[in-house]
């Protein structure tokens, strides 16, 4: 009887906490208070964190293969269709221009419906264009298939959003770097894959005219299968899919207007979009020109040109993940200021190496060596960029990721249009000027400032916390309803971004429902 009375006298809050603890999902991988993974098990498929990682990078890998399946076979396609240098340049621009708006739309879709549906949808919608590459018969049709296939590169945004939703702040740079880097690996793998597939088909008895057309079915099938896997086995968040979380009330169903406003008014997002245009954008531009450059400039055969071009893209196996790992390491020692310094230094060095690559065109060996070294720095800068992106906004994380990713495609389009379109510049001259652009467009990183953590040259503003920064995206009424709780939990788990010594400070310095300070 006494025991029953004690149970009846338990506070209601304790009963709610007990019920919450009982219903809290269990994961194989260690997680933080927001159920985001605090460790990165590369060779694990533990659901939902590591399974999402493997599905995201592989689906993006397949999209990269599809988008850049044509350049390795360009000498054959050029001769078959009678393409001019202007036709080739226009198609190269088209292949990366479509994804500019697609990435913005993808970012918004991730915020509203989740990365699983957003990713699978864009991959399936662009797959028909890959198959249609086998029936092109003119410069116009070649440009159109490359344009529509390039939309699939928007899956990069869902990849980065997905990793930022699954991994804790101290590991988000590494997760984003490996997922993005292994996805970008498709740009190098396709330089080996397509010539190999072409040779196999030709030796099986096909004519060259038919062999390169049939070869496009391989990337088409790969892309289709990856989308089906994402739909069948993917999960948006550690706690479930958006549809379930919205229905249960565990997640606030946001509006497009709010998502757009908080992304568009955050100047940090625009700076990262600009700087990403001259790391990832440069990578896309080089993927389009490198095989043909070595084929024409040094007279190597198609297979050798493909191997050289593949080495540029294949560096993503370690370079972009290395950038993400470096970002997390710098954060552990110096906080957000370390992430910013690392990004600026690495991308600037990449620009210097790009200038050198354009200057040493007289030597085949030197050109290959510098190109490989350049690839490591420019791709590592991509990983470092997305070590910063997840901290810009929580309410508009998807759109900020989309703006940054779209900036990469804008940079690629401008670079192709200015330096590699038509015959205005020799390719080696265009490469040198591209390096100068990298150095110049990296300088605005010095202007990024987080009031709670500081910037490259200025420390944090006294009294401002991460909770203040992220809670400003919510009105007092929304905070009163608890819509910002996920942002508060993220702020608690981001305490190390203040640098060493901040980890010992109280992680919950401001009440959840408090009004944010002016930041």
């Amino acid at each position: 009887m006494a025991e029953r009375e004690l149970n009846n006298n338990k506070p209601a809050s304790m009963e709610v906490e007990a019920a919450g603890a009982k219903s809290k999902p269990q994961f194989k991988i260690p997680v933080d208070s927001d159920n985001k993974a605090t460790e990165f098990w590369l060779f694990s498929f533990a659901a939902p964190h590591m399974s999402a990682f493997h599905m995201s990078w592989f689906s993006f890998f397949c999209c990269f293969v599809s988008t850049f399946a044509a350049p390795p076979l360009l000498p054959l396609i050029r001769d078959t269709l009678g393409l001019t240098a202007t036709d080739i340049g226009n198609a190269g621009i088209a292949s990366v221009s479509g994804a500019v708006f697609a990435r913005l739309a993808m970012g918004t879709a991730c915020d509203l419906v989740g990365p699983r549906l957003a990713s699978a949808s864009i991959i399936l919608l662009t797959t028909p264009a890959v198959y249609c590459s086998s029936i092109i018969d003119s410069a116009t049709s070649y440009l159109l298939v490359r344009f529509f296939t390039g939309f699939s590169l928007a899956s990069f945004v869902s990849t980065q959003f997905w990793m930022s939703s699954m991994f804790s702040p101290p590991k988000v740079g590494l997760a984003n770097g490996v997922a993005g880097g292994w996805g970008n690996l498709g740009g190098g793998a396709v330089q080996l894959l397509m010539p190999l597939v072409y040779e196999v088909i030709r030796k099986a008895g096909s004519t060259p005219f038919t062999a390169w057309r049939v070869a496009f079915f391989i990337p088409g099938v790969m892309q289709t299968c990856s989308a089906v896997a994402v739909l069948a086995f993917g999960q948006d968040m550690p706690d479930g899919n958006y549809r379930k979380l919205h229905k249960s009330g565990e997640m606030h169903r946001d509006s497009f207007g709010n998502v757009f406003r908080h992304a568009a008014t955050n100047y940090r997002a625009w700076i990262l979009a600009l700087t990403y245009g001259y790391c990832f954008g440069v990578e896309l531009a080089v993927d389009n020109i490198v095989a043909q450059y070595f084929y024409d400039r040094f007279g190597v055969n198609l297979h050798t040109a493909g191997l050289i071009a593949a080495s540029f893209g294949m560096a993503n196996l370690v370079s972009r993940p290395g950038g993400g790992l470096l970002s997390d390491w710098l954060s552990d020692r110096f906080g957000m200021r370390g992430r910013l310094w690392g990004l600026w230094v690495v991308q600037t060095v990449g620009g210097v190496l790009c200038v050198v690559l354009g200057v040493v065109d007289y030597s085949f060996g030197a050109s290959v060596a510098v190109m490989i070294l350049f690839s490591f720095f420019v791709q590592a800068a991509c990983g470092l960029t997305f070590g910063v992106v997840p901290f810009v906004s929580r309410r508009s994380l998807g759109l900020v990721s989309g703006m940054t990713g779209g900036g990469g495609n804008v940079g690629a389009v401008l670079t192709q249009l200015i330096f590699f379109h038509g015959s205005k510049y020799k390719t080696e001259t265009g490469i040198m000027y591209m390096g100068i652009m990298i150095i110049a467009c990296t300088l605005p990183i010095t202007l990024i400032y987080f009031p709670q953590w500081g910037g490259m040259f200025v420390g944090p503003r006294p009294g401002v916390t991460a909770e203040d920064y992220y809670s400003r995206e919510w009105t007092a009424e929304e905070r009163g309803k608890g819509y910002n709780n996920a942002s508060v939990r993220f702020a608690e788990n981001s305490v190390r971004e203040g640098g060493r010594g901040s980890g010992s400070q109280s992680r919950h310095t401001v009440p959840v429902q408090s009004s944010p300070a002016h930041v």
Side-chain angles (χ1 to χ4, degrees), residues 237-456:
M237 301 285 285
D239 298 325
N241 290 322
Y242 270 39
R243 184 176 180 181
K244 169 199 159 188
L245 296 173
H246 287 155
K247 190 173 182 180
S248 66
E250 297 176 60
M251 176 181 284
H252 170 58
R253 188 188 297 274
D254 219 331
S255 67
F256 169 76
N258 284 326
V259 168
F260 177 81
R261 178 162 52 88
H262 290 293
T265 57
N266 195 316
Y267 79 94
R268 301 165 191 84
W270 293 104
I271 291 178
L272 289 170
L274 169 66
T275 58
Y276 196 64
Y278 283 90
C279 54
F280 182 67
V282 166
E283 183 180 350
L284 292 179
V286 173
D287 280 334
N288 267 328
I289 67 166
V290 65
Q292 185 181 357
Y293 170 62
F294 279 95
Y295 181 85
D296 292 337
R297 180 69 182 84
F298 297 104
V300 299
N301 59 37
L302 187 63
H303 178 68
T304 302
L307 284 174
I308 296 169
S311 67
F312 180 84
M314 294 292 280
N316 271 296
L317 183 65
V318 295
S319 57
R320 186 165 185 149
L325 184 61
L326 176 61
S327 182
D328 287 342
W329 180 81
L330 289 170
S331 169
D332 183 49
R333 293 183 62 86
F334 308 108
M336 176 56 67
R337 301 178 72 181
R339 291 188 191 270
L340 295 173
W341 270 105
L343 172 57
W344 178 78
V345 169
V346 169
Q347 189 158 321
T348 299
V349 172
V352 172
L353 289 170
C354 188
V355 172
V356 174
L357 177 61
V359 172
V360 298
D361 65 292
Y362 57 85
S363 169
F364 173 73
S367 294
V368 172
V370 174
M371 184 205 69
I372 293 174
L373 190 59
F374 163 59
S375 70
F376 277 98
F377 278 88
V378 76
Q379 292 160 8
C382 296
L384 282 150
T385 300
F386 274 85
V388 177
V389 167
F391 298 94
V392 172
S393 169
R394 295 312 297 174
R395 189 168 192 175
S396 304
L397 171 62
L399 187 50
V400 169
S401 299
M403 290 169 64
T404 306
N409 286 78
V410 171
V413 170
L414 292 176
T415 300
Q416 288 270 146
L417 189 62
I418 297 170
F419 303 126
F420 306 112
H421 183 259
S423 55
K424 184 177 180 180
Y425 297 109
K426 292 181 179 179
T427 303
E428 54 270 27
T429 304
I431 291 172
M432 181 185 69
Y433 287 153
M434 181 170 67
I436 296 173
M437 286 290 287
I438 294 172
I439 297 169
C441 291
T442 303
L443 287 173
I445 293 173
T446 59
L447 302 177
I448 295 179
Y449 178 77
F450 290 89
Q452 71 276 31
W453 299 317
M456 284 177 61

Side-chain angles (χ1 to χ4, degrees), residues 47 168 196 242 323 388 428 431 470 485 504:
S168 188
L196 177 63
Y242 270 39
V388 177
E428 54 270 27
I431 291 172
Y470 294 118
N485 285 347
S504 60

Side-chain angles (χ1 to χ4, degrees), residues 102-119 121 157 161 242 256 259 398-399:
R103 287 187 168 196
L104 293 174
M106 174 63 78
T108 306
C110 286
D111 282 321
L112 299 179
V113 302
R116 171 179 158 269
L117 287 178
S119 177
S121 297
V157 176
F161 182 95
Y242 270 39
F256 169 76
V259 168
L399 187 50

Side-chain angles (χ1 to χ4, degrees), residues 24-40:
K24 186 178 178 66
Q26 300 296 313
F27 305 101
K28 292 182 179 178
I29 195 168
V31 298
D32 61 17
S33 61
D34 207 17
N35 288 336
K36 290 183 170 70
T38 58
E39 295 183 11
F40 186 74

